């Protein structure tokens, strides 16, 4: 039950402000929310069975301390990924599908989730937790998060507090990642921790470079 709750919570948070959540909100303006959510559930179930199986296999091949340490690094990287955010192609004509809406949403989400941080998060969780609990928990976490986006979006006209949501989700990722790194790497030597911090710093730079440059450019345009 603990693994299920953890998987549900982490994927729910990972999905906040993610492009998949924005996609769910957009598609729900064109098609029935029930059809969209059912397609998301089926698609996520298919994607996460692959990531969870991969995580379970990797977890059985690596020592637990290394799995926890690497998973911690990955969650911190997902935090930077969350801060960077995602965007959708505003020119997409999703309201005029050539196929049934269910299959349109299913295929769109399946492709969108491949390599996405929610898929990678479930992979990391499955490395140290039971397969079934992570698979079902991560799937429901994503569906509930997307359902929340659809409900709030319809109430507020899509005006979601994206920046606040992203910062909050990133903080959770940073906290969980730091704790996992400490659990697994408490006995690791200084050189290994140094290499890990360099990797984290590099990932933060790569993910946040463009937003920071844009922010600096906006500051320079302000009247003095």
């Amino acid at each position: 039950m603990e693994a299920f709750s953890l998987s549900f919570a982490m994927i729910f948070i990972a999905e906040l402000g993610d492009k998949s959540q924005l996609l769910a909100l957009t598609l729900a303006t064109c098609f029935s929310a029930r059809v969209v959510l059912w397609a998301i559930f089926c698609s996520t179930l298919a994607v996460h069975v692959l990531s969870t199986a991969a995580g379970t296999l990797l977890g059985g091949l690596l020592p637990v301390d290394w799995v926890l340490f690497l998973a911690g690094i990955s969650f911190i990287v997902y935090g930077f990924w969350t801060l960077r955010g995602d965007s959708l192609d505003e020119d997409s004509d999703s309201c005029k599908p050539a196929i049934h809406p269910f299959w349109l949403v299913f295929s769109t989400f399946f492709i969108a989730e491949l390599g996405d941080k929610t898929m990678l998060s479930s992979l990391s969780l499955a490395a140290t937790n039971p397969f079934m609990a992570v698979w079902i928990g991560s799937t429901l976490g994503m569906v509930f998060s997307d359902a929340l986006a659809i409900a709030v979006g319809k109430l507020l006209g899509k005006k979601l507090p994206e920046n606040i949501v992203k910062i909050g989700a990133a903080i959770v990722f940073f906290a969980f990642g730091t704790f996992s790194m400490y659990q697994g790497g408490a006995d690791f030597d200084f050189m290994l921790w140094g290499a890990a911090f360099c990797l984290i710093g590099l990932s933060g730079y790569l993910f946040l470079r463009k937003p920071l440059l844009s922010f600096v450019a906006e500051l320079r345009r302000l009247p003095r």
Side-chain angles (χ1 to χ4, degrees):
M1 193 64 183
E2 181 179 352
F4 171 85
S5 301
L6 176 63
S7 301
F8 180 94
M10 292 303 298
I11 299 304
F12 181 91
I13 292 169
E15 186 68 2
L16 295 176
D18 187 75
K19 67 177 181 293
S20 301
Q21 194 182 50
L22 301 176
L23 185 62
L25 177 57
T26 301
L27 290 171
T29 63
C30 300
F31 313 119
S32 165
R34 182 179 300 178
V35 172
V36 171
L37 287 175
W38 177 240
I40 290 173
F41 174 77
C42 294
S43 180
T44 306
L45 204 64
V47 171
H48 285 191
V49 73
L50 300 176
S51 59
T52 305
T56 301
L57 177 62
L58 292 175
L61 297 176
L62 296 174
V64 175
D65 54 352
W66 272 98
V67 170
L68 289 171
F69 190 73
L70 295 175
I73 293 175
S74 69
F75 278 117
I76 293 176
V77 172
Y78 303 154
F80 289 128
W81 193 341
T82 300
L83 285 176
R84 186 197 67 179
D86 292 299
S87 60
L88 294 175
D89 182 4
E90 295 180 354
D91 295 329
S92 60
D93 197 9
S94 58
C95 288
K96 297 180 180 179
I99 58 176
H100 190 279
F102 173 87
W103 294 112
L104 171 69
V105 179
F106 179 95
S107 58
T108 300
F109 267 81
F110 188 90
I111 294 172
E113 282 302 296
L114 293 177
D116 192 67
K117 63 176 177 290
T118 47
M119 179 183 180
L120 298 176
S121 296
S122 63
L123 189 154
S124 299
L125 288 166
T128 53
N129 294 282
F131 170 85
M132 189 61 68
V134 174
W135 180 32
I136 302 301
S138 62
T139 298
L140 293 180
M142 181 168 174
V143 172
F144 272 75
S145 185
D146 290 339
L148 176 64
I150 292 172
V152 174
K154 286 183 177 295
L155 288 174
L156 302 181
K158 298 185 181 181
K159 294 181 180 179
L160 301 175
E162 292 184 19
N163 290 334
I164 295 176
V165 169
K166 288 176 183 177
I167 293 172
I171 290 173
V172 173
F173 270 117
F174 293 149
F176 187 80
T178 301
F179 179 70
S180 182
M181 285 183 69
Y182 175 76
Q183 274 189 311
D187 297 326
F188 289 175
D189 59 37
F190 177 78
M191 293 295 292
L192 187 56
W193 275 94
F197 283 130
C198 288
L199 179 61
I200 290 171
L202 177 62
S203 67
Y205 170 75
L206 293 175
F207 276 115
L208 303 180
R209 177 181 56 181
K210 289 184 178 180
L212 287 175
L213 289 176
S214 298
F215 178 72
V216 171
E218 289 295 329
L219 288 178
R220 289 178 176 176
R221 294 193 188 100
L222 293 176
R224 297 180 180 179

